[in-house]
């Protein structure tokens, strides 16, 4: 669960990361938490990131999609957009996340779409709209990430090319 083999990246972005020996789909995966929650990133560019998450397994005691699950989906998608905007020399670190929950969902799949509100040199802000399978808005979120330079310590934590293939 959670493998990112169907993510669509712009070819020039794939080439830029591959030249550094970085496995782009592994780098921009949903991470351990997102994988456990079933987050799938379907499309990713600095202009638009799309991902889905099942409601099942991500509910609160009343059987509704947990607000924290929506926050995980929102932060994952906004962070991916921020990282792609920052490029290979920057790391995106979330500094502010705001979520407004509009309606409850009990089953199915929710889809999040992250689009930029601001893309600067040191910060990036994305609006993330999460909708149910009928296209009704479930949650509106906004994420701001600090974009900081990659350090040698950070570089040691980046997935290398071929690492995902050997897993």
């Amino acid at each position: 669960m959670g493998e990112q083999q169907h993510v669509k990246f712009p070819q020039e972005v794939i080439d830029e990361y591959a030249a550094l020996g970085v496995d782009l789909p592994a780098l921009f995966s949903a991470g351990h938490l997102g994988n456990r929650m079933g987050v799938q990133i379907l499309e990713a560019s600095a202009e638009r990131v799309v991902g889905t998450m099942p409601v099942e397994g991500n509910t609160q005691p009343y059987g509704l999609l947990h607000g924290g699950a929506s926050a995980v989906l929102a932060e994952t998608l906004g962070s991916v957009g921020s990282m792609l905007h920052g490029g290979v020399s920057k790391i995106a670190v979330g500094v502010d996340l705001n979520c407004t929950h509009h309606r409850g969902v009990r089953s199915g799949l929710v889809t999040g779409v992250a689009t930029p509100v601001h893309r600067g040199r040191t910060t990036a802000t994305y609006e993330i709209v999460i909708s149910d399978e009928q296209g009704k808005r479930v949650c509106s979120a906004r994420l701001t990430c600090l974009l900081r330079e990659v350090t040698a310590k950070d570089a040691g934590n980046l997935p290398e090319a071929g690492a995902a293939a050997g897993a």
Side-chain angles (χ1 to χ4, degrees):
M1 175 165 68
E3 290 186 25
Q4 304 301 314
Q5 54 201 13
H6 295 88
V7 180
K8 293 184 265 179
F9 292 100
Q11 188 60 48
E12 62 273 9
V13 174
I14 292 171
D15 295 343
E16 184 179 13
Y17 281 85
L20 298 173
V22 176
D23 181 349
L24 186 66
L27 179 61
F28 293 115
S29 73
H32 295 294
L33 177 60
N35 286 341
R36 255 193 316 265
M37 296 178 71
V39 172
Q40 294 286 312
I41 301 172
L42 307 177
E43 174 186 333
S45 72
E47 291 78 29
R48 176 180 156 96
V49 182
V50 179
T52 61
M53 180 179 67
V55 174
E56 183 179 350
N58 294 312
T59 57
Q60 38 89 309
Y62 298 114
L64 298 171
L65 177 64
H66 196 291
S70 293
V72 167
L73 178 59
E75 186 153 358
T76 299
L77 299 179
S79 293
V80 167
S82 295
M83 288 286 288
L84 288 169
H85 164 65
V88 295
S89 66
K90 303 270 183 135
I91 287 185
V93 180
V95 295
D96 182 63
L97 175 64
N98 173 293
C99 297
T100 301
H101 308 287
H102 305 293
R103 66 172 22 93
V105 181
R106 292 188 180 278
S107 63
L109 200 65
V110 291
T111 300
V113 179
T115 54
V117 173
H118 166 77
R119 291 187 296 165
R121 188 173 40 83
T122 59
T123 63
T125 301
Y126 279 75
E127 175 186 40
I128 304 94
V129 174
I130 300 173
S131 303
D132 65 14
E133 291 178 313
Q134 288 71 47
K136 293 183 180 176
R137 190 179 292 223
V138 172
C139 175
S140 298
R142 188 187 68 244
L143 173 71
T144 298
C145 288
L146 172 69
L147 301 174
R148 65 174 180 76
E149 295 294 323
V150 174
T151 65
K153 182 179 176 183
D154 298 323
N157 292 320
L158 297 177
E160 294 187 25

